[in-house]
Amino acid sequence: MGIYEELQARGLIAQVTDEPLIRELVNNGKATFYIGFDPTADSLHVGHFMALCLMKRLQEAGNKPIALLGGGTAMIGDPSGRTDMRQMMTVETIQHNCECFKKQMSRFIDFSEGKALMVNNADWLLDLNYVELLREVGPHFSVNRMLTAECYKQRMERGLSFLEFNYMIMQSYDFYMLFQKYGCNLQFGGDDQWSNMLGGTELIRRKLGKDASAMTITLLLNSEGKKMGKTQSGAVWLDANKTSPFEFYQYWRNVADADVVKCLRMLTFLPLEQIDEMDKWEGAQLNQAKEILAYELTKLVHGEEEAVRAQNSAHALFSAGSAAEMPSAKLTDEDFTDDKIDILNLLHKSGLVPSKSEARRAVQQGGVAVDGEKVTDISTTYEKDEFQGDGKVVRRGKKNFRKVTL
């Protein structure tokens, strides 16, 4: 099985252009491919995880990855999948986020000895002359056609700014520049990027003629990565300071039964034959499959030592009700009224719920416990002294815990 066939078997490919050419390129290690990452935060998150794993797989098969940091496109913001305009970021914030991305990507991609490149589209986008760009690129884009793109259609009713309307042109220009500067002949992205990627492919063909068409191939990843990584309290980050290895492990340990084998195929590097056997597992065996998934992915992101610690802590937590690596939260003096805190504020301040109204529902539905004792009264309070030392273990649902201390 070639790497292209493996990607298919793992459920990673949704749509392609020029499939025979793509198959030949990647199976023979001839692809120089790029995936873009807009630095909208100071850490990559689980939504980026699939792309990083894909880059690692293709590099191991002899292909050359280009990690494109969107220092230029982040100045505009991608309208795809959004109902409102992204908040504008300063140049300093974007640069800081790019530096954070570089460190995290190095855990997945080997940048030594020219095996991969990391480039920033700010290097060519920020110095563009607007009139020159219009003359060079504008004639090759139809406004009517652009407005039919899914990334724009969903925004038309609420309002699409001219700022964001330029995003497709800028992303297309990225592929054109990467093709010219680095011989990049393949691009990958989630299905919400399909129109943008087709724009880049078409721009190269129009600018450089039919002779270049064989080298401007677009391959599309399944959109599952976009669906991953969201919890009630926000994103699941790859930065250990934002999402601890234990929390990261628990996120994957708690995936739905119907998703565990799919995640094993798409995200782990376990042999497909082994995963196919797990597909036959039922009942309690699914919990074992979830532990394997959580361990393998935590090892990929945080290393084997942290993966072992997270797994041991999870076992200790569910067998003894406590663990050294349990996610923690700290209260301050201001969180108490007359040296007391009620259960609703405790749940909210610990980060187990996003709001006090959600805390109220959790208590009323019987899903809250403190130090192993179920809490059913929303007026329950706790003294400040109780949070000294080891503090208290607060649980919401069956698998969400916090060790809360003062």
Side-chain angles (χ1 to χ4, degrees):
M1 180 185 294
I3 184 62
Y4 184 83
E5 289 75 22
E6 181 176 347
L7 296 180
Q8 288 181 310
R10 290 184 179 273
L12 289 168
I13 298 177
Q15 299 182 65
V16 298
T17 66
D18 307 289
E19 183 175 42
L21 291 170
I22 293 173
R23 188 188 302 272
E24 192 273 337
L25 275 177
V26 300
N27 281 347
N28 291 286
K30 297 178 180 178
T32 297
F33 67 95
Y34 98 90
I35 297 180
F37 301 83
D38 273 359
T40 55
D42 59 0
S43 171
L44 296 162
H45 55 71
V46 167
H48 298 115
F49 193 43
M50 183 185 295
L52 294 169
C53 290
L54 177 91
M55 296 175 88
K56 181 178 175 67
R57 292 184 205 280
L58 287 166
Q59 185 180 49
E60 290 179 351
N63 299 286
K64 185 175 182 177
I66 299 176
L68 178 65
L69 300 178
T73 41
M75 299 287 286
I76 288 182
D78 184 1
S80 303
R82 295 185 63 87
T83 58
D84 55 1
M85 193 168 79
R86 293 182 185 272
Q87 183 178 356
M88 300 284 281
M89 296 187 296
T90 66
V91 174
E92 292 76 19
T93 298
I94 292 172
Q95 183 57 39
H96 170 73
N97 293 349
C98 285
E99 293 301 320
C100 294
F101 277 24
K102 288 179 183 179
K103 294 177 184 177
Q104 292 177 340
M105 286 179 179
S106 297
R107 290 196 65 90
F108 296 85
I109 305 165
D110 182 1
F111 289 100
S112 66
E113 301 173 359
K115 295 177 182 176
L117 294 172
M118 184 178 294
V119 298
N120 191 328
N121 62 16
D123 293 343
W124 53 82
L125 291 179
L126 296 189
D127 292 330
L128 283 173
N129 178 285
Y130 186 61
V131 174
E132 289 179 3
L133 177 68
L134 288 178
R135 288 176 61 86
E136 182 178 11
V137 176
H140 304 295
F141 285 84
S142 162
V143 171
N144 290 351
R145 185 174 176 183
M146 289 173 70
L147 290 175
T148 65
E150 194 62 36
C151 62
Y152 291 146
K153 281 198 302 182
Q154 62 189 1
R155 287 291 305 281
M156 291 301 291
E157 291 184 7
R158 295 178 63 101
L160 175 69
S161 71
F162 182 71
L163 177 75
E164 296 170 291
F165 187 62
N166 282 270
Y167 192 90
M168 181 187 293
I169 294 174
M170 294 180 75
Q171 183 171 330
S172 300
Y173 192 76
D174 282 345
F175 192 25
Y176 172 70
M177 290 299 294
L178 292 170
F179 178 84
Q180 294 277 73
K181 293 168 69 72
Y182 305 108
C184 180
N185 52 23
L186 188 59
Q187 55 182 329
F188 292 76
D191 57 7
D192 60 342
Q193 299 295 314
W194 182 240
S195 298
N196 296 340
M197 291 192 294
L198 288 179
T201 301
E202 187 63 21
L203 177 62
I204 294 175
R205 290 175 175 171
R206 286 176 176 269
K207 291 283 292 180
L208 303 179
K210 292 183 179 180
D211 291 343
S213 63
M215 300 299 289
T216 59
I217 308 161
T218 304
L219 183 147
L220 177 66
L221 278 177
N222 187 295
S223 65
E224 291 296 327
K226 297 290 183 179
K227 302 173 186 176
M228 296 175 179
K230 291 293 183 181
T231 68
Q232 202 163 30
S233 58
V236 176
W237 304 98
L238 305 192
D239 184 341
N241 294 318
K242 296 169 78 72
T243 298
S244 72
F246 179 86
E247 290 174 301
F248 188 85
Y249 178 95
Q250 283 300 107
Y251 172 77
W252 296 107
R253 174 61 180 80
N254 295 338
V255 299
D257 291 355
D259 293 334
V260 59
V261 173
K262 179 167 61 177
C263 290
L264 282 163
R265 284 199 179 101
M266 291 192 298
L267 299 174
T268 75
F269 287 75
L270 296 175
L272 283 168
E273 296 79 5
Q274 182 179 349
I275 299 171
D276 289 340
E277 285 299 313
M278 294 185 204
D279 203 8
K280 303 171 186 175
W281 291 1
E282 297 178 350
Q285 284 183 304
L286 286 175
N287 288 328
Q288 183 182 349
K290 291 179 184 181
E291 288 195 355
I292 293 171
L293 172 69
Y295 177 82
E296 291 294 326
L297 299 190
T298 306
K299 182 172 69 172
L300 269 174
V301 174
H302 297 294
E304 186 169 11
E305 182 178 346
E306 290 292 350
V308 170
R309 292 177 65 187
Q311 188 169 67
N312 290 341
S313 294
H315 290 164
L317 173 61
F318 294 114
S319 62
S322 63
E325 297 302 314
M326 189 188 306
S328 62
K330 290 190 179 294
L331 301 175
T332 66
D333 291 339
E334 288 73 25
D335 295 324
F336 295 85
T337 302
D338 296 330
D339 289 339
K340 293 181 180 181
I341 187 170
D342 63 64
I343 185 61
L344 303 186
N345 276 303
L346 178 58
L347 286 166
H348 186 217
K349 296 293 184 180
S350 68
L352 286 168
V353 295
S355 66
K356 290 179 66 175
S357 60
E358 184 65 28
R360 179 186 295 270
R361 281 193 291 272
V363 173
Q364 292 173 338
Q365 292 169 2
V368 173
V370 176
D371 285 344
E373 293 188 13
K374 192 172 185 178
V375 180
T376 57
D377 185 353
I378 61 172
S379 64
T380 302
T381 61
Y382 301 91
E383 299 286 339
K384 183 194 292 188
D385 290 346
E386 297 180 67
F387 296 92
Q388 300 283 1
D390 290 336
K392 286 187 168 294
V393 175
V394 184
R395 173 175 62 82
R396 177 180 181 270
K398 293 182 178 180
K399 300 174 181 178
N400 296 305
F401 291 80
R402 291 288 189 282
K403 178 186 287 187
V404 184
T405 57
L406 184 64

